[in-house]
Amino acid sequence: MAYQAKQFGIVLKNARMDKHLTQAELAEILDISLSYLKDLERFRNNPSYEIFEKVIRYFNLSADTVIYPNKNLNSDTYQQIDRLLTRCDESQLRVILATVEALLAESERNSETEAASVSDK
């Protein structure tokens, strides 16, 4: 699998914390040792495929979260937004999506305008 231990550890720890589970509770649920779970969360070990699959299924995660990491994943702001999104209904999520798309489009237009003005000089 093409992912890094750090990415898996971050996703695992965030998912565990979102469910308000202790490391000991999650280790028991996953049927692994507490020390192995700690190593996963501290980026000291890669999970076996079996553990990777158990984590993805238990927390209802997308494998893309781990395999295609987001550069913002370590940001406190990103993590807060991610946690809050899980509490939104479909209508609220559509509003948030439209807002983010509008912000990004505006940012791209500003970047293009700045690049054009620099090249004119």
Side-chain angles (χ1 to χ4, degrees), residues 72-81 83:
N72 293 318
L73 203 54
N74 292 324
S75 160
D76 289 337
T77 304
Y78 180 87
Q79 290 175 11
Q80 287 175 316
I81 291 169
R83 286 188 187 108

Side-chain angles (χ1 to χ4, degrees), residues 16 20-38 41:
R16 176 180 62 77
H20 307 288
L21 294 170
T22 65
Q23 287 179 323
E25 291 168 332
L26 182 57
E28 187 174 323
I29 290 165
L30 297 175
D31 194 28
I32 60 175
S33 71
L34 178 58
S35 63
Y36 180 56
L37 178 65
K38 287 181 178 183
E41 286 190 1

Side-chain angles (χ1 to χ4, degrees), residues 2-22:
Y3 62 88
Q4 297 177 2
K6 182 173 182 178
Q7 181 64 23
F8 182 80
I10 291 168
V11 170
L12 176 62
K13 184 175 182 177
N14 286 337
R16 176 180 62 77
M17 291 174 66
D18 286 345
K19 285 229 179 196
H20 307 288
L21 294 170
T22 65

Side-chain angles (χ1 to χ4, degrees), residues 45 70 101 106 114-115:
N45 209 339
N70 183 315
E101 287 174 340
E106 181 64 24
E114 288 174 14

Side-chain angles (χ1 to χ4, degrees), residues 23-68:
Q23 287 179 323
E25 291 168 332
L26 182 57
E28 187 174 323
I29 290 165
L30 297 175
D31 194 28
I32 60 175
S33 71
L34 178 58
S35 63
Y36 180 56
L37 178 65
K38 287 181 178 183
D39 282 349
L40 292 173
E41 286 190 1
R42 293 179 185 147
F43 329 127
R44 294 182 182 159
N45 209 339
N46 278 316
S48 66
Y49 178 78
E50 178 185 359
I51 298 304
F52 180 83
E53 184 179 4
K54 279 185 179 183
V55 167
I56 299 259
R57 288 185 187 275
Y58 179 76
F59 291 112
N60 194 29
L61 298 170
S62 165
D64 288 349
T65 305
V66 178
I67 296 171
Y68 304 108

